[in-house]
Amino acid sequence: MSTNSTNLGFRGALRRFGKAAALGLVLFGGSAVLFYSDGFQKMFAAVGADVDLPEVAGIEVAQANREAMHAARAAWLEDINAPAPSIPIGPDGYFAPPSEDEIPDGPFGESIRRGRDIFVNTPKYAPQYSGNSQSCVNCHLDAGRKENSAPLWGAYTKYPMYRGKNKMVNTYQERIKGCFTYSMNAQASPAGGPPPLGDQVYLDLEAYAFWLASGAPTGQVLPGAGYPKVPETELGYDYNRGEKVYAQNCAICHGDDGQGRREADGSVRFPPLWGPEAYNWGAGMARINTAASFIKYNMPLSQGQTLSDQDAWDVAAYINSFERPKDPRQTGSLEEARQTFHKNEQSYYGKEVRGKIIGHGVSREQAL
Amino acid sequence: MKHNEHNDITKVDHNFEPYEPYRPIPLLVIAVVCALGVWGVLTYIGDLTAAEQFVARTAPVAEAPATPAVELAEGLNNASPEILALVHEGRDHVWSCASCHGDAGEGNATTPRLAGQVSDYLFKQLVDFRDGIRDNAHMAYVARGLGEDEMRELADYYAQIRLPSLVGPRLDGNLERGRQLAHEGDWKRNVPACLQCHGASGEGVQPSFPVLAGQQPEYTFAQLALWHADARGNSPQQLMDKIVQAMTPEDMRAVSDYLSTLPLNREPAPQVQ
């Protein structure tokens, strides 16, 4: 028998098992590290396999970048050689405004919160100056945060600014006064007109916009500010073609009659698009090009940029081919107002639609 | 002459070892077994701890409500005898609504609550089940046994039932994240707030947007999972499909749990216009 020379005996076997166990632990540890460091996914991805790397919530990226800005601000004050803070951006590259839990305490924070409330539910929080069923947030999505939806952070730093609409340099308050005059149709409000300059409504909305723009530079138009223009199409725009686009894409929320939908308690859920509860003839949204831009990039809600340019133009034309509250600037005849205020714009103001001149306006009393 | 070599006694191999030689199990094999063993034990301990924590967290919610749903509900008899018979007894070999959805339409886990649901929405679902646009074998079987008039009356019956919310979070979702998704959305993922369309308090908007408040969290999650997997085809304009495909499973759990916490405050018996 020659086996004795290779048999380790019981103690030897135990020693050997000990070595194997140690090697096993090392194997386990190494694999665990590789697994939790996404090593496997990265290896698969490196050879071109389609793997899902763990996702980080979009909001979290934006938040982390804002925290980095705050840290850089503090460091820069301490040490002039530290790198200057950069503009905080989200995972998509657009400016990242602060999140609601960053609203400071105290009177400033209270003003910001009041401004936000007015912004998201104007008829409820600014009832005296609200002449229809519209809220700021209807056209500035995500409480004024969303890129390509005329976000407040994109607008605030642009003012004071010269505007062709009233041919003067406008302060931010004067700009919001325009919103109340036209988009909120303040002529039909209990006060009969927009809030006077200096009113608390403006101060609160200003506080909200100022705070949302924290970290945004002045002197630069930010990507995502305003509504991107939609290129004009060969066919132009046509409300007849737009009727079908509307039925297929918009009616589910805004209703076949364009009057939106209300909740059981009467509050507006989906805003009316025409008629006495909509923006008036002087509003930017009554221009077909502006409406086409908003629609193309933001509608149907959550499906921005799915309509073709042609459909966006046509449906904007359809929505703006109905009567809405009159332009408050009209003092004389409709034709005079058209010549003075609507001459070179893309709208149906003072023009013939379905055999009738429109633009005279419709009030709540007339609609009853 | 052919010689048989095997029988040649002169050619014996003297080095032949008749016993099995000692061949130890390779070290690496034992090591791999040890590594798998460690993994198994750690996984077991981890799961056990998580399960205990889960039970500890959710136990108070899982308790059955003190009062049965039928005693809290209003409007359980507001239908014709034929419709009430369909609800409680079924017809021929088609089973009754109440046998799965509960006597007050309160639902159970992945079987949805129907009480107080938007009636046009319920009607559309029945039609879609019948036509196979919404895929569910049980409901397809039931819906094929119903006429459209009966579908409409059943939808109206369940819509008018007033029943307070009886559920709470049961999926261990992150309620703060759920609140954020429900009220603000996550626009960086193109996910709008749930309540922007489903009503400020999640109580639905006629005719297309169903009630989410007080829904069974397992049901909400199961439907989100179907959309996520492109397997629930009947959302108008594919609105829900595209939204949910941008959500993670954690977000889906969070929002299902959060929505189940919303109370139902609706006024009793509003007239269906």
Side-chain angles (χ1 to χ4, degrees):
Chain A
M1 296 282 277
S2 60
T3 48
N4 276 352
S5 61
T6 48
N7 198 333
L8 300 169
F10 179 69
R11 296 183 59 131
L14 210 61
R15 228 183 350 261
R16 199 162 172 281
F17 183 76
K19 271 189 220 166
L23 187 61
L25 274 178
V26 171
L27 263 179
F28 175 77
S31 310
V33 167
L34 200 61
F35 181 77
Y36 285 108
S37 65
D38 309 326
F40 283 122
Q41 285 97 325
K42 279 178 189 148
M43 274 156 53
F44 282 127
V47 296
D50 186 21
V51 288
D52 292 332
L53 285 173
E55 288 182 73
V56 187
I59 289 171
E60 284 167 18
V61 174
Q63 230 112 303
N65 286 341
R66 285 201 68 84
E67 271 159 35
M69 175 190 73
H70 291 308
R73 280 176 174 179
W76 199 32
L77 279 179
E78 284 289 311
D79 175 10
I80 189 62
N81 294 316
S86 53
I87 304 170
I89 58 171
D92 49 6
Y94 289 110
F95 175 75
S99 68
E100 299 230 330
D101 45 21
E102 284 179 61
I103 296 179
D105 294 328
F108 178 41
E110 285 159 25
S111 183
I112 293 170
R113 284 176 209 280
R114 285 196 302 269
R116 180 204 55 195
D117 289 345
I118 296 168
F119 195 86
V120 300
N121 196 339
T122 317
K124 182 172 175 188
Y125 292 102
Q128 64 278 38
Y129 301 114
S130 171
N132 57 19
S133 297
Q134 306 292 318
S135 290
C136 310
V137 73
N138 294 160
C139 301
H140 309 271
L141 301 187
D142 195 14
R145 297 164 175 275
K146 191 178 171 297
E147 69 281 353
N148 299 330
S149 178
L152 291 185
W153 47 259
Y156 184 78
T157 55
K158 286 201 281 189
Y159 288 88
M161 179 174 83
Y162 180 84
R163 297 189 75 219
K165 187 158 185 165
N166 52 12
K167 297 184 179 56
M168 62 180 225
V169 174
N170 287 237
T171 63
Y172 193 67
Q173 279 199 23
E174 284 164 333
R175 177 66 189 85
I176 313 176
K177 187 180 176 189
C179 299
F180 275 96
T181 307
Y182 306 109
S183 299
M184 303 323 183
N185 194 37
Q187 60 186 334
S189 69
L197 291 177
D199 191 275
Q200 193 63 37
V201 167
Y202 295 135
L203 301 183
D204 292 339
L205 284 168
E206 205 167 17
Y208 181 54
F210 168 80
W211 171 77
L212 270 184
S214 149
T218 57
Q220 175 179 359
V221 177
L222 290 170
Y227 306 120
K229 283 189 166 46
V230 182
E232 296 197 2
T233 57
E234 239 173 74
L235 291 173
Y237 53 82
D238 176 6
Y239 59 82
N240 284 316
R241 280 198 306 265
E243 185 171 1
K244 200 176 151 200
V245 182
Y246 181 87
Q248 287 172 348
N249 297 283
C250 319
I252 183 178
C253 294
H254 295 285
D256 294 330
D257 57 0
Q259 296 312 294
R261 299 197 194 280
R262 286 168 190 274
E263 296 195 45
D265 66 357
S267 60
V268 181
R269 183 47 34 203
F270 302 112
L273 301 181
W274 61 81
E277 296 299 327
Y279 48 89
N280 70 35
W281 276 110
M285 204 54 77
R287 291 194 308 262
I288 292 159
N289 52 327
T290 305
S293 295
F294 170 75
I295 291 165
K296 168 82 184 179
Y297 284 88
N298 296 289
M299 290 287 134
L301 198 73
S302 81
Q303 295 186 357
Q305 299 191 62
T306 56
L307 291 179
S308 67
D309 290 353
Q310 185 62 54
D311 283 352
W313 275 104
D314 289 340
V315 80
Y318 178 71
I319 290 163
N320 284 332
S321 71
F322 295 97
E323 272 296 358
R324 53 185 65 261
K326 75 187 272 275
D327 187 337
R329 294 169 297 186
Q330 182 199 337
T331 46
S333 72
L334 179 65
E335 181 56 20
E336 275 169 24
R338 191 185 73 78
Q339 291 287 344
T340 317
F341 302 112
H342 298 269
K343 195 151 187 218
N344 294 314
E345 69 176 28
Q346 291 170 302
S347 86
Y348 290 124
Y349 187 86
K351 293 175 190 156
E352 192 178 313
V353 172
R354 300 181 190 95
K356 208 177 146 201
I357 300 283
I358 60 168
H360 297 285
V362 59
S363 67
R364 284 168 164 167
E365 293 71 31
Q366 285 169 309
L368 284 175
Chain B
M1 185 131 187
K2 192 110 181 187
H3 194 84
N4 191 343
E5 281 179 24
H6 294 290
N7 293 336
D8 190 346
I9 201 156
T10 61
K11 294 200 173 172
V12 170
D13 179 1
H14 291 286
N15 294 321
F16 178 69
E17 172 56 72
Y19 298 101
E20 189 78 8
Y22 174 72
R23 256 185 290 167
I25 305 168
L27 207 63
L28 194 64
V29 172
I30 305 175
V32 167
V33 170
C34 287
L36 289 173
V38 172
W39 183 22
V41 168
L42 288 182
T43 307
Y44 180 75
I45 294 171
D47 283 1
L48 203 66
T49 330
E52 273 171 7
Q53 284 170 351
F54 181 79
V55 169
R57 261 198 304 275
T58 54
V61 185
E63 277 172 31
T67 322
V70 277
E71 286 175 31
L72 295 168
E74 292 170 30
L76 288 181
N77 296 316
N78 288 348
S80 65
E82 294 77 27
I83 291 301
L84 289 177
L86 276 175
V87 168
H88 293 290
E89 290 145 38
R91 182 168 58 206
D92 302 334
H93 47 267
V94 175
W95 51 85
S96 69
C97 311
S99 63
C100 293
H101 292 277
D103 282 335
E106 71 272 24
N108 180 25
T110 53
T111 306
R113 172 195 166 107
L114 304 178
Q117 187 51 278
V118 170
S119 71
D120 286 349
Y121 171 82
L122 286 179
F123 176 72
K124 179 181 187 293
Q125 303 311 305
L126 285 170
V127 172
D128 288 354
F129 282 129
R130 182 194 66 194
D131 298 345
I133 298 168
R134 183 173 170 186
D135 187 18
N136 181 300
H138 303 284
M139 284 308 298
Y141 180 68
V142 173
R144 282 184 197 128
L146 295 172
E148 286 207 4
D149 289 346
E150 289 170 328
M151 290 181 181
R152 174 54 74 189
E153 284 183 60
L154 284 168
D156 288 348
Y157 168 71
Y158 276 111
Q160 59 83 40
I161 294 176
R162 289 292 162 266
L163 177 68
S165 175
L166 302 171
V167 293
R170 291 195 293 248
L171 306 175
D172 205 22
N174 177 341
L175 289 177
E176 171 51 28
R177 174 68 177 158
R179 189 206 60 77
Q180 189 179 43
L181 286 165
H183 291 269
E184 295 154 27
D186 185 347
W187 277 103
K188 288 294 165 204
R189 289 167 175 277
N190 220 20
V191 175
C194 311
L195 304 185
Q196 187 158 357
C197 292
H198 289 272
S201 48
E203 298 187 36
V205 182
Q206 285 272 16
S208 306
F209 295 90
V211 178
L212 304 178
Q215 184 55 273
Q216 303 280 341
E218 293 90 346
Y219 172 75
T220 307
F221 180 79
Q223 298 310 306
L224 292 173
L226 285 176
W227 274 307
H228 195 79
D230 215 0
R232 180 172 165 180
N234 76 332
S235 180
Q237 296 169 222
Q238 291 189 299
L239 283 166
M240 285 304 294
D241 307 51
K242 292 184 186 170
I243 291 167
V244 183
Q245 277 155 26
M247 291 171 74
T248 63
E250 287 70 34
D251 279 355
M252 286 152 53
R253 266 192 311 139
V255 85
S256 302
D257 261 354
Y258 177 77
L259 291 170
S260 77
T261 68
L262 294 178
L264 285 144
N265 302 320
R266 219 174 322 156
E267 295 296 307
Q271 290 305 302
V272 178
Q273 277 131 25

